[in-house]
Structures are given as structure tokens and as C-alpha cells.
Amino acid sequence: MHTVNIGDTQASLYGKDLLTLKDLSEADISALLTEAADLKQNKIQPIFQGKTLAMIFEKSSTRTRVSFEAGMAQLGGNALFLSQKDLQLGRGETVADTAKVLSGYVDAIMIRTFEHEKVEELAEHADIPVINGLTDKYHPCQALADLLTIKEVKGKLKGVKVAYIGDGNNVAHSLMVGCAKMGCDVSIASPKGYEVLDEAVNAAKEYAGVSGSSITLTADPGEAVKGADVIYSDVFTSMGQEAETNERLTVFTPYQVNASLVKHAKPDYTFLHCLPAHREEEVTAEIIDGPNSAVFQQAENRLHVQKALLKAILYKG
């Protein structure tokens, strides 16, 4: 496997898949963040002439599609948007067959879908790198943008306390794993029955044992936010859960990030949200549109970390 220089760190990512942040070491993540910061300042680097990224979308998206498509263009390559109606997957072709066919046409695949097992199967049968653009379990590209944003705003990662309030979902899983790897203290508050998966908790605790960070799980938002440097929220009802909307609004109402809750955090706390946001549900407009919010900086950083990732896995240097 080829080793590529990313910033001042060597990361052996060429030709590799990214299915979860468990696939990356602390050094890999540090290197990607360094490269992303450089690409943010030097956006156009036409190094991908003739390279094509296939983007499979079984879940619609604003940030994932535009950031990957714009990122490939800025690196001199091409991106193909493929919805279910554009592929034979929607008519019964197997994931394995699709992986093998696409491997003969393009240089990498990014997929945004429901079942995490589908991404794993795609990666198993593809001869080219596969990037998880989102599954029901993990959202690694979002977490990389989160880490870059925290580092930009706070000037560091190690020792920063990040409090996630709400559903123990894919965003929470990847944020927890990424923060634990990089030395951030993580506190997650979720209602009973909506906690983060043991699989993600166990991985995060293992990484925290190495980095010296801490993992706190609670049902009390106030406890989670106490002394926090960063407060993170996500929608109460994710795509595919629409039938649960009324029940979730009832259960999650006490988990709204509002002026009362943020009083428990540090005065200079930073508010993050992966977007899209539902104002006056999981967060009040006062908070998300207020001076402590960095949500649009965070959204822009999706572009830069994804370019860094694409460069690492596709560029030989």
C-alpha cells in the first residue's frame, strides 16, 4: 500500500476504505485535519485529472452531495450523482454486482444509505475505495468536519469537553468515537430507550483509555452540559423515522438546547449542529443563530475534510 504525505504526517490511507472512524488512527485523523486546513486556504488543486467519484444516494442530502461534488471539481476530477432510480440496485441487482461493475468504471465510491451492512458489503466486493457518506449507524465524514471545527474554534482538541444532547444516533456514534480518539472529553445525554449503541460506546471507551479522555453517558442534559466547551445537537427525528415524529417530540422535549440549558456550560461554549436543523425543536433560534453558534463554519468544513480524505485515498503524490 502506498503511503502519502498529508501535511507533516504520513498516513497510509491510499486505496483504503472509510466506513467508520474506527478505520483511522489518531495520526490519520490529525493528518487529515492538517490537510483539510491547508485545502481550506488553497481550494483549487487540480490533481485529479481523469479521476471519477461515484456518489450513491439512497438518502437525499444537501451537504454531502454538494461538498463531495464540489470537492472533486476543485481537485480537478469528476463526480457522478447516482440515485436509486439511476442504478439497477433499485431493480434487484445485488450490492456485490454493483460494486464489481462500478470498480471498472470509477476510482472511488461514496455511498449514503440506511443499513450499515450495505456499505460493508459494497466495500467487501469493490476493488476501489469506498467512503461511508452516512448510514444508520455511523457518519464519519460529519465527525471529521466536527473535529476540524472544534480545533479551529478552541485551538485544540485534547482536553476539550464536548456535550452531545439528544438521540443516540449515527452522528452521536461517530462524534463519540472521533472525540475519544483525539483526546476530547465526551458527555452524551439521551432519554432512556434512545441511548448510543454499546458497539460505539465500547470502541470510544477503548480509545479514551489510550488518549486519556473521558466518556460520560447520562439521561440528564444539565449534567452532560456542565462545564462544556462545545454543545452539539441533532434533529429529534432523522430521515426514515417520520412515523415516530409525535412520540419523539414528546420524549425529546426536555433535551432542547435553549438559553436555560446552556447556562450550565462554559460562558464561551460553542454550539454545533450537523444540519438540517428544526428551530424551536431540538434547539431554539436564539442559540443556533446566536453568537456562540458555529454551525455554518462546521457545514463548510464538510467540503475541506472530504477533499482531504479524497486526496489521501486517491492521490499518489
Side-chain angles (χ1 to χ4, degrees):
M1 183 168 293
H2 187 80
T3 299
V4 291
N5 287 306
I6 305 178
D8 296 324
T9 310
Q10 290 222 323
S12 300
L13 298 180
Y14 181 72
K16 283 191 174 182
D17 304 318
L18 176 64
L19 307 189
T20 81
L21 289 189
K22 292 181 283 186
D23 298 331
L24 303 179
S25 68
E26 183 275 337
D28 292 334
I29 295 174
S30 292
L32 288 171
L33 299 184
T34 297
E35 179 69 6
D38 179 69
L39 287 164
K40 194 169 184 176
Q41 300 302 316
N42 304 284
K43 290 187 176 181
I44 308 302
Q45 295 188 16
I47 58 174
F48 276 2
Q49 184 176 2
K51 291 193 180 295
T52 302
L53 173 70
M55 306 188 303
I56 300 174
F57 283 87
E58 295 188 326
K59 277 189 172 184
S60 59
S61 170
T62 298
R63 280 148 292 277
T64 300
R65 177 181 179 179
V66 177
S67 57
F68 269 109
E69 196 162 330
M72 281 297 291
Q74 290 175 15
L75 290 172
N78 301 291
L80 299 175
F81 173 79
L82 303 169
S83 68
Q84 280 186 302
K85 67 181 181 181
D86 298 312
L87 293 170
Q88 297 299 325
L89 276 171
R91 298 180 60 230
E93 184 170 52
T94 67
V95 172
D97 285 356
T98 298
K100 292 170 184 175
V101 169
L102 290 179
S103 293
Y105 295 151
V106 301
D107 300 280
I109 301 168
M110 187 282 297
I111 179 169
R112 182 177 168 95
T113 187
F114 292 89
E115 306 88 355
H116 189 74
E117 293 73 19
K118 182 174 287 187
V119 176
E120 292 176 328
E121 185 178 359
L122 190 69
E124 179 184 353
H125 294 282
D127 295 325
I128 55 177
V130 173
I131 299 171
N132 175 8
L134 174 144
T135 66
D136 287 345
K137 274 191 179 181
Y138 294 104
H139 199 351
C141 294
Q142 178 64 55
L144 289 172
D146 300 338
L147 292 169
L148 178 60
T149 308
I150 294 168
K151 188 175 182 181
E152 287 177 336
V153 175
K154 300 302 180 184
K156 63 179 183 177
L157 291 172
K158 192 169 182 62
V160 173
K161 180 177 178 179
V162 179
Y164 175 92
I165 311 300
D167 192 15
N169 60 14
N170 49 6
V171 171
H173 296 153
S174 289
L175 179 71
M176 179 171 57
V177 169
C179 283
K181 275 182 178 281
M182 303 308 292
C184 297
D185 296 322
V186 185
S187 185
I188 296 183
S190 301
K192 187 176 181 179
Y194 298 89
E195 301 94 341
V196 285
L197 291 176
D198 288 343
E199 170 188 322
V201 173
N202 293 337
K205 287 183 175 179
E206 179 183 344
Y207 303 136
V210 175
S211 69
S213 62
S214 64
I215 307 294
T216 302
L217 305 176
T218 179
D220 183 353
E223 178 187 349
V225 169
K226 186 176 181 180
D229 298 288
V230 176
I231 302 174
Y232 198 122
S233 183
D234 192 7
V235 292
F236 292 157
T237 306
S238 296
M239 199 178 305
Q241 299 172 335
E242 289 80 6
E244 305 172 24
T245 298
N246 291 335
E247 178 184 352
R248 282 176 167 269
L249 287 176
T250 300
V251 171
F252 282 99
T253 294
Y255 292 80
Q256 183 186 75
V257 178
N258 51 38
S260 177
L261 182 63
V262 302
K263 288 179 181 178
H264 298 282
K266 290 181 179 176
D268 65 344
Y269 79 91
T270 299
F271 178 74
L272 298 181
H273 192 300
C274 56
L275 302 179
H278 296 159
R279 286 166 174 79
E280 310 309 326
E281 285 188 15
E282 72 272 10
V283 60
T284 60
E286 176 185 9
I287 300 300
I288 194 171
D289 298 321
N292 293 74
S293 177
V295 297
F296 296 111
Q297 178 179 344
Q298 176 189 11
E300 181 190 335
N301 281 340
R302 288 290 303 278
L303 170 66
H304 309 304
V305 297
Q306 283 156 197
K307 285 170 66 178
L309 178 62
L310 289 166
K311 186 174 179 180
I313 66 175
L314 289 178
Y315 183 56
K316 291 184 178 181

